[in-house]
Structures are given as structure tokens and as C-alpha cells.
Amino acid sequence: MKVDIWSDVRCPFCYIGKRKFETALAQFEHKDQVEIEWHSFELDPNAETRPDVNPVDYLADRYGKPREWAEEMHENVTQTAAEVGLRFNLGISVVANSFDAHRLIQLAKTGGLGDAIEEHLFEAFFTRGKDISDHQTLVEIGTAAGLDKITVETMLRSTDFTDEVREDEQTAQQIGVRGVPFFVFNQKLAVSGAQPPETFLGAMQQAWAG
């Protein structure tokens, strides 16, 4: 069975959804026959990298809400993450464009390291407060996930994998993806959002049954 997942590494619910999906997958009796492919989706393609901007202020400004609202949102999502074993440090997160991170994901996919690079990018952004637009940081993340350092450096100096990122985003638009995470099971059953593990398990069972 094939599971296609559209995601952005700047999206907290994509990381939470990854954990919930993994919980479901561990319970799926045919888990060894499941192929997972991650796809690129930029929540804000025009986002500027702004290490100088406080992440709480950025969230409040983006949605036109009071700072207290943004603080509460951060607290809520941090608690939700903790419930699935993730440690979020949103107060130190760096406002960054994710396009080059998506190119790195596309590179990793060519070597069967798509899931590993997603995990490393999520952890770097949400837990360690790393700038995922910084090329040196992406080299470190890539090598930690198992990629060759020179290969990553060469890719980042080029425009390689730009087309692959755009193709993923165009496909998402064609199938009506409005937000991420977005899961498609065997190209016929879709689940949107960081749903409970039992929802993902049910979707896998239904898709497997045909």
C-alpha cells in the first residue's frame, strides 16, 4: 500500500500528525508492506527568513491577533505535541522560508531517506530552534539523516529539485489540498489533519481492503 503525505516542516501539526500516523502504522498488520512518500507543501511560499523576529509576535501579526492569543496558541500546540511525546520549544523557533528545506527533502527521497530527513528537519525546527533556511544548518541536518555532505552542499548551491517541489505543490492544488498534513492512501482515500491514530488505522484498513 502507498501512503502519500503532503507536509511543511514549519507546520507543527505536520510533526504531530507524523507521530500519530506512526502510532497507527505500528498497529497495522500489513505495516511491512506500506510505502510512504513525503511531498512538499509550503504554507507560506512568500515567507521571509527573519531570525530577528520573535515567533510569538510573528504569529500574532500574521493573523492580526493580540499577542496573548499567539502565546495561548503556542502553549496549546506545545501541550498537544507533548501528548504524543514531542518536545516543542516554540519560543526559540526561527521564522524562516522552507523552500530549500523542501529541496533537501526531495534530494533525500532519491536515496530512500525521505522519512529520516522529515524527522530531522521537524526536530531541528520545533525542538532545537534551528534556522531551516540556513544552508550550513541544512547541511548538518542532511548529513545527520544519512546524506553525503558534499552532495547536499552541491545541491544547495544549485537550483536542483526546484521542479520536484513545484510538482508536488501543483499536484496538491489539483487534488484540492487546502492545508497540511494531508494523507492519501492508495490514491483513493484521503485524511486531512493530525487525526487520532485510530482514524489513520481505520483509513489504512479500508484502503487495504480495497
Side-chain angles (χ1 to χ4, degrees):
M1 182 169 66
K2 176 80 178 293
V3 182
D4 294 281
I5 309 172
W6 275 263
S7 168
D8 191 354
V9 290
R10 293 179 62 232
C11 164
F13 291 102
C14 290
Y15 198 7
I16 293 167
K18 182 177 187 291
R19 276 295 181 275
K20 291 184 176 182
F21 171 73
E22 288 167 347
T23 298
L25 184 61
Q27 301 170 28
F28 185 53
E29 61 178 324
H30 306 290
K31 60 178 179 289
D32 294 335
Q33 299 176 62
V34 175
E35 175 192 354
I36 299 167
E37 181 174 357
W38 291 87
H39 297 279
S40 298
F41 188 102
E42 295 171 276
L43 286 173
D44 186 0
N46 300 314
E48 295 182 18
T49 297
R50 295 287 306 276
D52 58 313
V53 173
N54 182 284
V56 173
D57 293 334
Y58 172 80
L59 184 63
D61 290 344
R62 184 179 178 192
Y63 291 98
K65 300 282 190 177
R67 197 175 196 279
E68 292 74 20
W69 172 87
E71 289 175 339
E72 185 177 349
M73 289 292 289
H74 273 192
E75 290 173 7
N76 290 343
V77 76
T78 298
Q79 178 58 42
T80 301
E83 291 170 0
V84 293
L86 297 174
R87 182 168 59 88
F88 278 13
N89 293 310
L90 298 179
I92 62 169
S93 61
V94 177
V95 176
N97 185 283
S98 64
F99 182 70
D100 281 342
H102 281 292
R103 291 201 298 129
L104 179 62
I105 292 167
Q106 298 291 341
L107 169 65
K109 283 166 60 174
T110 66
L113 294 171
D115 200 72
I117 198 67
E118 289 281 349
E119 184 67 30
H120 279 80
L121 282 165
F122 278 135
E123 191 271 340
F125 184 76
F126 288 107
T127 301
R128 296 191 288 128
K130 295 294 184 178
D131 179 355
I132 57 166
S133 70
D134 177 74
H135 283 191
Q136 184 54 45
T137 298
L138 290 175
V139 170
E140 293 169 1
I141 293 170
T143 54
L147 290 166
D148 175 71
K149 180 180 179 182
I150 302 300
T151 301
V152 176
E153 290 175 337
T154 302
M155 183 277 292
L156 290 170
R157 287 195 299 267
S158 73
T159 58
D160 292 352
F161 297 100
T162 293
D163 289 345
E164 286 82 351
V165 174
R166 297 303 181 218
E167 286 170 10
D168 274 356
E169 294 176 335
Q170 288 170 5
T171 300
Q173 189 174 20
Q174 290 166 1
I175 65 176
V177 179
R178 296 286 178 263
V180 286
F182 192 86
F183 301 76
V184 177
F185 300 86
N186 266 356
Q187 298 186 329
K188 56 189 173 185
L189 184 64
V191 174
S192 179
Q195 300 295 335
E198 52 267 28
T199 299
F200 288 124
L201 181 58
M204 282 187 281
Q205 291 168 338
Q206 185 177 341
W208 184 270

